[in-house]
Amino acid sequence: NAGVTQTPKFQVLKTGQSMTLQCAQDMNHEYMSWYRQDPGMGLRLIHYSVGAGITDQGEVPNGYNVSRSTTEDFPLRLLSAAPSQTSVYFCASSPLTGAPNTEAFFGQGTRLTVV
Amino acid sequence: AQKVTQAQTEISVVEKEDVTLDCVYETRDTTYYLFWYKQPPSGELVFLIRRNSFDEQNEISGRYSWNFQKSTSSFNFTITASQVVDSAVYFCALRSFESGGSYIPTFGRGTSLIVHP
């Protein structure tokens, strides 16, 4: 049982480059989300999805794009990387209907550095 | 809107001390779910416990205990006889129907616990 698989674990980008962080879950969870974690700021929600074809913005969506074409996958795209996007990124999933008391399952995180 | 406040940014203790991590939440819903997660220095997020709003029974698991009080909207986490391995960032989280009907989790900012030998 793989849970939430997030790749890559580490990435260095140059300013202006684009890239996609991959996230996949095999638990048939409706809800998937992306967070960024910065020192002293906790987990801040970037984008989330409550099902295939449905996405919405979180607290800090600027500079990021998402899509949800399948239940399993929820990639996060950095359109034009900026040093302010240097952070640790986490993908998380959880069931929604029928099991709101279930905890979030997290990927292992991606440490992104933009130079 | 639902909110989770972890007012303690960082706590520093010496090994074997007891320590309590505070979590205060806000929600208009009467049915909601609270969680604690641990993030050790290795970086992964580890689920510790969940509590439903209709179950105010406190829970103890070894050196860990959780005190849920609806009257004060708090879900505090106590570590008894702390150990160096308890050093981590701890997050409190809330899920309620208030978040657009989707039970989207809201996380606190986290409390960094440092346990010195």
Side-chain angles (χ1 to χ4, degrees):
Chain A
N1 191 357
V4 179
T5 303
Q6 189 180 332
T7 56
K9 290 195 70 175
F10 301 94
Q11 183 71 50
V12 178
L13 288 178
K14 293 183 179 178
T15 298
Q17 286 186 316
S18 62
M19 79 158 294
T20 299
L21 279 61
Q22 300 292 343
C23 178
Q25 52 93 9
D26 61 358
M27 298 170 283
N28 203 32
H29 288 168
E30 300 99 325
Y31 178 75
M32 295 186 75
S33 57
W34 279 100
Y35 293 88
R36 60 177 290 173
Q37 183 179 21
D38 302 292
M41 301 298 289
L43 295 167
R44 292 188 291 171
L45 183 63
I46 304 171
H47 285 286
Y48 66 93
S49 169
V50 297
I54 306 169
T55 62
D56 207 343
Q57 297 181 350
E59 181 184 355
V60 288
N62 292 339
Y64 307 95
N65 209 352
V66 292
S67 60
R68 184 95 179 267
S69 56
T70 66
T71 299
E72 295 78 20
D73 300 300
F74 191 47
L76 177 72
R77 297 181 186 84
L78 278 70
L79 308 173
S80 177
S84 60
Q85 293 179 305
T86 293
S87 187
V88 180
Y89 292 84
F90 287 97
C91 177
S93 76
S94 58
L96 282 177
T97 54
N101 61 335
T102 305
E103 69 274 19
F105 292 76
F106 286 88
Q108 291 195 313
T110 297
R111 186 172 294 275
L112 175 68
T113 302
V114 183
V115 298
Chain B
Q2 62 181 36
K3 185 179 178 181
V4 175
T5 302
Q6 294 181 256
Q8 304 151 307
T9 305
E10 183 177 297
I11 301 175
S12 183
V13 299
V14 177
E15 207 168 21
K16 297 184 182 176
E17 282 187 40
D18 299 346
V19 57
T20 296
L21 283 61
D22 298 331
C23 173
V24 174
Y25 61 91
E26 295 176 30
T27 178
R28 292 191 299 257
D29 290 328
T30 56
T31 299
Y32 50 89
Y33 307 89
L34 296 160
F35 306 83
W36 276 96
Y37 295 84
K38 175 182 180 180
Q39 186 180 40
S42 53
E44 73 276 18
L45 282 142
V46 179
F47 164 71
L48 293 177
I49 191 172
R50 76 172 66 85
R51 176 62 67 224
N52 303 329
S53 57
F54 42 85
D55 179 8
E56 286 196 73
Q57 188 173 18
N58 292 327
E59 183 155 340
I60 298 174
S61 176
R63 296 183 297 106
Y64 295 174
S65 63
W66 290 268
N67 182 7
F68 176 36
Q69 291 197 334
K70 290 178 74 172
S71 60
T72 55
S73 297
S74 64
F75 185 40
N76 297 336
F77 174 27
T78 297
I79 302 174
T80 303
S82 61
Q83 299 177 1
V84 173
V85 293
D86 296 325
S87 296
V89 179
Y90 292 87
F91 291 96
C92 181
L94 166 70
R95 294 185 79 179
S96 74
F97 192 78
E98 182 181 339
S99 53
S102 298
Y103 287 94
I104 296 168
T106 296
F107 285 84
R109 292 286 174 98
T111 297
S112 176
L113 174 64
I114 302 169
V115 181
H116 299 280

